Amino acid sequence: MVNRLITIFYKEFTTINQAAILLGLFTFFSQILALVRDRLLASQVGVGMTLDVYYAAFRIPDIVFALAASLVSVTILIPFFYRSKKQKILIPIIASLKNSYKMFSLHFFIGMIVLSLVVALLLPVLSPMIAPGFDAEQIRLLVQMSRIMLISPILLGISNLFGTITQASKKFFVYAAAPVLYNFGIILGVIAFYPWFGPQGLVYGVILGALLHMGLQVPVVIKEGYKVFFTMSIDWSSIRNIVAISLPRTFTLSVSKILIAVFVALASQIGSGSVSIFNFAWNLQNVPLHSLV
């Protein structure tokens, strides 16, 4: 029974109609699960200071993800991936090998880790800008939760890269299920981690969700025979090419995330629970939008 489920899970879908239907169904299911997630947050945590800080803690990591991790978007990397598919080597920033194939190198993720560490050090300065209406205790908790949550852009960035292989290998079931597991991790954080660890438990759920999002695709990467290694050989012209192609999408995502951060900053000055209510409303209006796109 288990082997049959694994076979179905990692099945290769050969037609675009099958892939489109599968992705659409899982997107809809993920959005419904997101509503369940928000309902649990409202009932278990309650609209107030803790939930306000939790939602505000997403803002800076989301901007980091939009600025950096979006460079390894599936839509950007698929063409480059097909060029190097026969090579069976996966590297995270564009590098030039002897055979002239262009592939990604671990330098990207080292850069993301460095960026996350720098942002983590700057959080005491950045947090009052994100939530100017929070008091000193809320700012302290916001800094603490945001620092933990900065792990998620790194994990989701890796997952984006793996998603390129997953889609190119036509394992659309795995790719479609990843966002569902992300929400499942957050729900588990609300139900299991929050009672034990308090507000930080909610953030642990986010990290678990990002880890599941990435981990689900690892078997595909391994099965396809790809390997990750460090290289000092970097083709900077190729890097500029990737960045140039990524800029419009990165700019759009960044503006969107910064706009939400502005809304959160304004909501934080209205009163306790305002940030939570704004996020509930924002997530609710996204359900039909994301389900139809």
Side-chain angles (χ1 to χ4, degrees):
M1 180 64 179
V2 175
N3 290 335
R4 182 173 176 80
L5 288 174
I6 292 174
T7 301
I8 295 173
F9 200 74
Y10 290 99
K11 177 183 176 182
E12 181 176 311
F13 290 83
T14 56
T15 69
I16 192 169
N17 289 336
Q18 290 178 334
I21 291 171
L22 187 69
L23 289 170
L25 288 174
F26 269 89
T27 298
F28 179 73
F29 180 59
S30 179
Q31 291 302 311
I32 297 301
L33 201 61
L35 292 179
V36 174
R37 174 201 67 200
D38 285 355
R39 182 66 184 87
L40 284 171
L41 283 166
S43 61
Q44 298 296 318
V45 183
V47 175
M49 185 201 82
T50 299
L51 201 55
D52 283 356
V53 175
Y54 168 74
Y55 278 121
F58 274 95
R59 302 288 55 91
I60 292 176
D62 277 359
I63 292 173
V64 170
F65 180 81
L67 289 172
S70 61
L71 294 175
V72 289
S73 165
V74 170
T75 54
I76 301 298
L77 298 186
I78 281 286
F80 292 91
F81 173 82
Y82 273 114
R83 291 181 194 175
S84 60
K85 188 174 181 181
K86 293 181 180 179
Q87 182 70 11
K88 293 291 185 184
I89 301 175
L90 172 65
I91 337 180
I93 277 187
I94 300 295
S96 178
L97 302 184
K98 292 180 180 179
N99 56 15
S100 77
Y101 283 107
K102 311 294 184 180
M103 293 165 293
F104 274 94
S105 152
L106 287 171
H107 295 83
F108 176 83
F109 296 107
I110 293 174
M112 278 210 63
I113 291 171
V114 171
L115 176 61
S116 295
L117 288 173
V118 170
V119 171
L121 291 174
L122 293 175
L123 275 172
V125 177
L126 298 174
S127 293
M129 300 178 188
I130 294 295
F134 283 3
D135 59 30
E137 177 59 25
Q138 286 176 294
I139 292 295
R140 183 195 65 79
L141 185 59
L142 176 59
V143 170
Q144 191 177 72
M145 294 175 75
S146 295
R147 280 175 172 166
I148 300 172
M149 206 175 288
L150 279 168
I151 299 171
S152 65
I154 300 172
L155 296 176
L156 292 174
I158 298 173
S159 188
N160 266 2
L161 180 62
F162 288 172
T164 305
I165 300 173
T166 304
Q167 286 212 56
S169 304
K170 300 178 182 178
K171 304 297 193 301
F172 293 107
F173 199 104
V174 174
Y175 182 79
V180 174
L181 288 188
Y182 177 70
N183 278 322
F184 177 76
I186 296 176
I187 289 173
L188 191 61
V190 178
I191 297 173
F193 299 160
Y194 177 65
W196 281 93
F197 302 104
Q200 289 81 2
L202 299 174
V203 185
Y204 297 153
V206 175
I207 302 305
L208 175 62
L211 190 60
L212 291 173
H213 192 290
M214 179 193 72
L216 182 66
Q217 302 182 78
V218 170
V220 176
V221 177
I222 295 174
K223 186 178 179 181
E224 290 297 313
Y226 288 85
K227 53 187 176 181
V228 180
F229 63 86
F230 185 82
T231 176
M232 295 302 294
S233 177
I234 304 176
D235 184 349
W236 292 107
S237 64
S238 295
I239 292 176
R240 288 194 294 270
N241 188 25
I242 281 284
V243 171
I245 295 173
S246 303
L247 277 178
R249 185 177 187 274
T250 302
F251 177 76
T252 302
L253 286 175
S254 300
V255 169
S256 175
K257 298 301 182 183
I258 291 171
L259 185 61
I260 296 173
V262 171
F263 289 151
V264 167
L266 294 173
S268 72
Q269 300 178 72
I270 296 174
S272 180
S274 298
V275 174
S276 303
I277 293 170
F278 164 73
N279 277 273
F280 286 147
W282 183 268
N283 292 341
L284 183 60
Q285 66 92 27
N286 275 328
V287 171
L289 178 63
H290 289 169
S291 297
L292 293 173
V293 172

